[in-house]
Amino acid sequence: NQLMLSLEKMQGLISIDEQKQEATCLAGTSIKRLNQELFDKGWNIINLGDIDVQSIAGATATGTHGTGLRFGNVSSQITAFTLVTADEEILHCSATENSDLFEAGRVSLGVLGIITKITLKVTAAYKLEYVAKKAKLAETLEKLEEYNSTNRNFEFYWFPYTKTVQLKFSNETTDKVKDNPTMRYINQHLIENGLLSALCFIGKNIPTSYSVLSKMIGWGATSERKINHSHLVYATPRYVRFKEMEYNIPLENFKEVMMRVVEKIHAEHYRVYFPIECRFVKGDDLWLSPSYGRDSAYIAFHVDHRTPHNPYFKDMEALMMEYDGRPHWGKMNTRQSENLVTTYPMWKSFQQMRMQLDPEGLFMTDYTEEFMG
């Protein structure tokens, strides 16, 4: 028998320590709710990804990240957490209390126990100026260091079978909010989601149309400029269902890897028309963080949920592994313990801690057993 445990009702901000600039919340709190409750008190999370519907415990347990080389993933912002172990012991973990468990547990995959409370570093509420525009892939790779060094947050999307990318920049500003709700609705709902949904329907029924569809999605990519409070800039709605695999590679290998991705897609003609997302993250010291010990680039591959994802995902995963690639834990991958131990220096230490805390495997799932053993 198996039991699924939900923290969905463990919602809400508990306290803010303004002097330490830290906020404590219940671990089941959705990022969207945490964003709003922090903002109502004049605070914001330091950096986030583009999805805000997951719980803070789930996001940090899987190493969820945004983009920007000045910032680590969301887990790196944790300064303390409370863990309930398999034998019902309650452990408070921080850099000074249960410190080894603190380093292991900030990206825990849920296998060490139940995290019930999380304390995060926060910052005074801030606004972001967001700019999106089209460019050429070759030019983008040439200017990569410049884009990463001169912008708070930078990412880009490449549209397969084209030379086109969509660049996205976000930088702090004190200017007034300038975010037309009508244009936001048109861009996010009608174009980004509505157009994509329609093209996915075509792709399902006309499989040979993939390259044309990718060019159409690139054509429909919006150029945009807006200013709003940070939590309203980071998050974007996602209504189209898709399958995703995302890999972390060392930053210094990114340009070479990206060119090999382009060459492989053009050579194999995979049925792919979803754009490939590229983001950049500061290295950290969290045991199972994909960014452990290295500044990193993340490359995310997507297909419509009705489209077979192999051989596309399989071949891209093999390519990433040539460059010491590490999978995003919350997304699809086929890795096993024997080939993860070589890329995570603290893999064996994590496994020892897991066995010490949960020798009977109470918190293991079919997914974690595949690569934990």
Side-chain angles (χ1 to χ4, degrees):
N1 292 331
Q2 295 183 336
L3 181 69
M4 179 178 289
L5 179 68
S6 172
L7 304 183
E8 187 176 2
K9 294 187 178 180
M10 297 185 68
Q11 295 282 333
L13 181 65
I14 297 172
S15 64
I16 297 175
D17 186 324
E18 297 193 0
Q19 187 172 8
K20 290 184 177 180
Q21 293 193 313
E22 294 178 349
T24 301
C25 64
L26 293 171
T29 307
S30 70
I31 292 177
K32 183 174 184 178
R33 175 168 175 168
L34 181 58
N35 277 333
Q36 190 60 52
E37 292 192 12
L38 283 171
F39 180 70
D40 289 344
K41 296 182 181 297
W43 297 88
N44 277 145
I45 296 176
I46 294 171
N47 203 41
L48 285 171
D50 57 3
I51 305 295
D52 63 1
V53 297
Q54 68 271 61
S55 71
I56 191 65
T60 54
T62 53
T64 292
H65 62 94
T67 191
L69 282 177
R70 304 173 206 173
F71 309 98
N73 58 30
V74 181
S75 306
S76 69
Q77 300 168 39
I78 295 176
T79 59
F81 61 84
T82 300
L83 182 82
V84 180
T85 68
D87 61 4
E88 302 179 30
E89 187 177 6
I90 299 175
L91 300 176
H92 302 286
C93 305
S94 68
T96 57
E97 190 176 5
N98 296 307
S99 57
D100 278 355
L101 181 51
F102 176 65
E103 298 302 341
R106 286 191 281 174
V107 180
S108 70
L109 309 178
V111 301
L112 300 181
I114 303 167
I115 292 178
T116 58
K117 288 194 296 186
I118 292 176
T119 300
L120 293 163
K121 264 295 187 194
V122 292
T123 188
Y126 59 99
K127 287 175 285 187
L128 291 173
E129 179 184 29
Y130 167 85
V131 176
K133 62 182 181 180
K134 294 182 188 178
K136 299 298 183 184
L137 176 61
E139 178 189 15
T140 300
L141 295 180
E142 287 178 7
K143 294 184 175 180
L144 188 71
E145 290 81 8
E146 174 189 341
Y147 288 154
N148 269 321
S149 64
T150 59
N151 293 280
R152 185 188 196 278
N153 309 111
F154 165 66
E155 64 180 305
F156 73 88
Y157 290 78
W158 172 61
F159 303 96
Y161 308 107
T162 79
K163 298 179 180 180
T164 304
V165 300
Q166 184 186 43
L167 309 178
K168 295 186 176 183
F169 308 94
S170 293
N171 290 288
E172 287 191 47
T173 181
T174 57
D175 292 348
K176 292 181 180 179
V177 170
K178 186 179 181 181
D179 191 358
N180 185 305
T182 302
M183 288 306 302
R184 183 170 69 245
Y185 181 85
I186 291 172
N187 287 334
Q188 293 185 345
H189 296 265
L190 298 185
I191 297 178
E192 292 184 9
N193 282 285
L195 175 62
L196 182 58
S197 179
L199 295 181
C200 286
F201 178 80
I202 296 172
K204 175 181 179 293
N205 291 282
I206 311 177
T208 57
S209 63
Y210 55 88
S211 62
V212 174
L213 295 179
S214 183
K215 292 170 184 175
M216 292 178 67
I217 293 171
W219 170 82
T222 56
S223 295
E224 185 181 1
R225 178 184 177 273
K226 65 183 179 183
I227 297 172
N228 214 327
H229 301 288
S230 63
H231 61 291
L232 300 177
V233 173
Y234 289 127
T236 53
R238 292 284 185 267
Y239 304 135
V240 178
R241 290 179 60 196
F242 55 84
K243 292 179 280 189
E244 180 176 4
M245 179 183 73
E246 184 173 31
Y247 257 82
N248 171 302
I249 57 171
L251 179 63
E252 60 266 24
N253 297 134
F254 172 72
K255 292 183 183 181
E256 179 181 337
V257 173
M258 193 61 204
M259 292 311 300
R260 289 191 63 188
V261 167
V262 173
E263 291 170 1
K264 188 71 173 175
I265 288 175
H266 286 171
E268 299 296 335
H269 293 282
Y270 304 110
R271 277 180 55 190
V272 54
Y273 45 87
F274 272 67
I276 290 174
E277 183 180 18
C278 302
R279 292 181 283 178
F280 309 93
V281 176
K282 182 180 178 180
D284 58 53
D285 60 356
L286 315 184
W287 290 8
L288 288 196
S289 167
S291 295
Y292 180 90
R294 68 193 192 195
D295 288 346
S296 303
Y298 281 83
I299 305 178
F301 308 93
H302 313 74
V303 297
D304 178 74
H305 71 101
R306 297 161 295 191
T307 300
H309 58 276
N310 284 328
Y312 177 45
F313 280 10
K314 180 182 178 181
D315 290 350
M316 291 299 110
E317 183 172 55
L319 175 57
M320 298 301 118
M321 288 175 65
E322 289 184 35
Y323 295 85
D324 199 26
R326 299 168 180 167
H328 186 308
W329 296 116
K331 300 174 184 180
M332 297 178 72
N333 69 87
T334 64
R335 301 297 288 274
Q336 302 292 325
S337 180
E338 57 268 22
N339 57 47
L340 287 168
V341 68
T342 59
T343 189
Y344 282 99
M346 301 302 291
W347 184 264
K348 290 182 179 179
S349 298
F350 185 91
Q351 290 279 47
Q352 290 167 2
M353 183 167 289
R354 178 181 70 82
M355 290 300 297
Q356 178 183 340
L357 290 170
D358 184 19
E360 301 300 321
L362 179 65
F363 297 114
M364 295 292 282
T365 67
D366 291 343
Y367 170 59
T368 55
E369 283 179 356
E370 284 182 13
F371 56 81
M372 288 283 179

